[in-house]
């Protein structure tokens, strides 16, 4: 018997027989359902070439997935639902193969509008959007968090009754953490939920003596091991609370002895490369701007900057957002005057280099309400919202020199197939997708980088 004959596998999917090989099945991963079924069959009978393995699924969708494993190319018939295909891919355990073929890595220079998701007219305007690592997202609308999976199918919403949402963080695609507070009492809390079932998993508590204390968490950041939140509450010092990301148990409380208001931080960002936490107090939550990089292990501030002394002539406009770019050792900021600045994080107490200044004439929000610019980072690219569009910058740094920032393109709603314009309230990047929230139209837009056939990707080589 030849090697090809020895590897031959017969699969009966919904009454249609498919003949393939083990090498093709293994392209989908050794942990895929197909691989596990064949392995189970082999454990029961060493000769699987003479027996069919029956799988009760739709053969039309399986045919497309099998062709993807064979050729490395995904061709979806026009009559076939992409969402249904993704559900079948999830069942067979080859969803990662579908994702890799549909999109390349996120490249701001050649973004393509994918689709727009509109909210229910009865819901409140979206206040912010957060993205998961696999390309799903969630949108906070009043006291409700709407959750979408990778296929953009809406899951069961998380209704928090009379609580307002401060921030949301993803621990993984199936688990999110929500910070809330009561409008009347300004006291809230934190809890994690399953994104598929909307069921509560853990409640995050802060010890206060022999009891636990009520607190309000303003901003979240998640690492592989810990959850960080800027907290304040009755009887508590302001600071950064730390919990175990798996168990939800309280682990630490970080304060600053020099008086920096960690508890007022409106944005936290975990930097996995350096194991540092960016802490930012920004407008409109704070009258002064405080930025610092904190080492949670040693409790030391590695880098710090503030405009509270008002000694910098360009900081009369308060900062509205900040983000760290680890690859170029740069803190990127934007202020109320729509100016984008860059600070070298290797040197403390330096004035931002206001390299980009927008004209107010470009702001198209008009009477619909002004939305301050937001920042997002993907590798060496910086995304900055302005008016109804997003500016993309490329950042490079070599030989210890100061980072060089170059604007490479601008993405506008003109590229979204005439879906209309509107001010941008927030942005998020996750799973090689850019999400843009437009509250005036109660919708968010999804942008992707199309996969090019000549890109260097591993192709399927089975059945050759």
């Amino acid at each position: 018997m030849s090697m090809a004959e020895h590897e031959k596998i017969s699969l009966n999917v919904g009454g249609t027989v498919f003949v393939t090989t083990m090498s093709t099945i293994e392209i989908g991963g050794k942990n895929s359902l197909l691989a596990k079924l064949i392995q189970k069959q082999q454990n029961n009978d060493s000769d699987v070439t003479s027996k069919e393995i029956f799988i009760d699924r739709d053969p039309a969708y399986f045919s497309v997935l099998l062709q993807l494993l064979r050729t490395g190319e995904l061709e979806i018939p026009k009559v076939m639902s992409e969402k249904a295909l993704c559900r079948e891919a999830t069942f067979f355990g080859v969803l990662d193969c579908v994702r890799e073929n549909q999109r390349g890595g996120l490249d701001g220079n050649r973004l393509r509008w994918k689709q727009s998701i509109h909210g229910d007219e009865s819901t409140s305007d979206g206040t912010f959007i957060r993205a998961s690592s696999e390309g799903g997202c969630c949108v906070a609308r009043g006291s409700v968090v709407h959750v979408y999976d990778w296929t953009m199918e809406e899951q069961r919403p998380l209704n928090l009754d009379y609580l307002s949402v401060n921030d949301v963080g993803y621990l993984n695609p199936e688990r999110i953490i929500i910070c809330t507070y009561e409008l009347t009492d300004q006291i809230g809390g934190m809890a994690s939920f399953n994104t598929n079932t909307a069921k509560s998993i853990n409640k995050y508590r802060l010890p206060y003596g022999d009891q636990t204390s009520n607190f309000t968490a303003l901003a979240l950041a998640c690492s592989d091991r810990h959850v960080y939140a800027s907290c304040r509450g009755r009887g508590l010092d302001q600071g950064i609370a730390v919990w175990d990301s798996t168990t939800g148990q309280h682990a630490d409380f970080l304060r600053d002895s020099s008086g920096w208001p960690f508890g007022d931080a409106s944005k936290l960002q975990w930097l996995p490369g350096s194991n540092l936490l960016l802490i930012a107090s920004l407008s409109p939550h704070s009258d002064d701007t405080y930025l610092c990089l904190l080492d949670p292990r040693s409790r030391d501030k590695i880098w710090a900057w503030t405009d509270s002394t008002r000694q910098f002539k360009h900081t009369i406009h308060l900062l509205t957002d900040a983000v760290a770019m680890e690859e170029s050792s740069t803190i990127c900021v934007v202020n109320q005057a729509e100016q984008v600045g860059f600070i070298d994080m290797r040197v403390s107490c330096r004035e931002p280099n206001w390299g980009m200044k927008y004209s107010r004439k470009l702001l198209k929000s008009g009477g619909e309400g002004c939305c301050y610019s937001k920042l997002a980072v993907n590798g060496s690219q910086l995304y900055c919202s302005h008016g109804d569009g997003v500016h993309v910058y490329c950042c490079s740094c070599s030989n210890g020199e100061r980072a060089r920032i170059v604007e490479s393109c601008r993405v506008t709603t003109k590229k979204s197939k005439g879906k209309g314009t509107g001010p941008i309230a927030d942005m998020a990047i996750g799973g090689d997708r850019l999400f843009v929230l437009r509250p005036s139209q109660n919708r968010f837009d999804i942008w992707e980088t199309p996969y090019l056939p000549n890109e260097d990707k591993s192709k399927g080589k089975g059945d050759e």
Side-chain angles (χ1 to χ4, degrees), residues 339-372:
Q339 297 173 308
V340 181
F342 308 94
I343 313 175
D344 191 337
M345 69 170 62
R346 295 166 298 186
V347 182
S348 295
C349 299
R350 288 291 184 91
E351 179 183 4
N353 173 26
W354 299 103
M356 304 294 171
K357 300 180 181 180
Y358 299 136
S359 169
R360 279 288 181 179
K361 295 180 180 179
L362 292 177
L363 195 61
K364 297 182 180 180
S365 57
E368 298 176 349
C370 177
C371 295
Y372 289 124

Side-chain angles (χ1 to χ4, degrees), residues 22-233:
M22 277 296 299
S23 58
T24 297
I25 298 301
E26 289 175 352
I27 291 174
K30 294 184 178 181
N31 292 324
S32 68
L33 174 67
L34 292 174
K36 290 180 178 179
L37 284 175
I38 295 173
Q39 183 63 42
K40 182 179 179 180
Q41 192 82 349
Q42 287 177 331
N43 292 337
N44 296 332
D45 189 343
S46 59
D47 182 15
V48 297
T49 60
S50 60
K51 295 185 177 181
E52 290 181 356
I53 300 177
F54 179 76
I55 306 173
D56 190 15
R57 305 297 289 191
D58 191 325
Y61 290 97
F62 181 78
S63 177
V64 174
L65 297 175
L66 182 59
Q67 190 67 9
L68 169 63
L69 298 180
R70 286 170 170 167
T71 66
E73 297 180 1
L74 180 64
E75 297 182 3
I76 306 176
K78 293 183 179 179
V79 296
M80 185 172 288
S81 167
E82 183 177 342
K83 286 186 177 181
L85 179 66
C86 290
R87 283 195 293 268
E88 292 299 300
T90 302
F91 174 82
F92 286 107
V94 295
L95 184 60
D96 287 341
C97 297
V98 175
R99 290 177 185 157
E100 291 174 3
N101 189 278
Q102 283 192 315
R103 301 196 305 268
L106 186 66
D107 184 357
N109 294 315
R110 52 187 189 91
L111 286 173
R112 179 188 64 184
W113 174 84
K114 174 67 174 178
Q115 66 181 118
S116 295
I117 305 294
H118 292 262
D120 192 315
E121 294 182 358
S122 62
T123 61
S124 305
D125 290 341
T127 52
F128 62 81
I129 189 168
R130 299 290 184 263
S132 72
S133 59
E134 71 167 6
C137 71
C138 64
V139 179
R141 302 182 187 276
S143 61
V144 180
V145 177
H146 296 265
V147 182
Y148 302 83
D149 64 13
W150 177 77
T151 66
M152 289 296 105
E153 182 174 348
E154 185 172 3
Q155 306 299 297
R156 185 177 299 176
L158 301 172
N159 194 328
L160 305 170
D161 296 328
Y162 300 104
L163 300 175
S164 184
V165 180
N166 275 336
D167 201 359
V168 177
Y170 275 90
L171 283 172
N172 56 57
E174 297 181 352
R175 185 180 172 194
I176 61 175
I177 302 176
I178 300 179
C179 299
T180 64
Y181 71 95
E182 294 183 26
L183 294 176
T184 56
D185 203 16
Q186 296 294 311
I187 294 296
M190 289 171 50
S192 61
F193 298 84
N194 185 292
T195 57
N196 298 321
T197 64
K199 292 183 178 180
S200 175
I201 300 175
N202 288 321
K203 290 186 178 180
Y204 295 81
R205 306 183 185 279
L206 276 181
Y208 182 67
D210 296 333
Q211 301 177 344
T212 58
S213 172
N214 291 327
F215 67 95
T216 294
L218 297 179
L220 277 172
C222 302
S223 69
D224 292 338
R225 298 181 56 188
H226 294 108
V227 174
Y228 302 89
S230 53
C231 295
R232 59 189 182 189

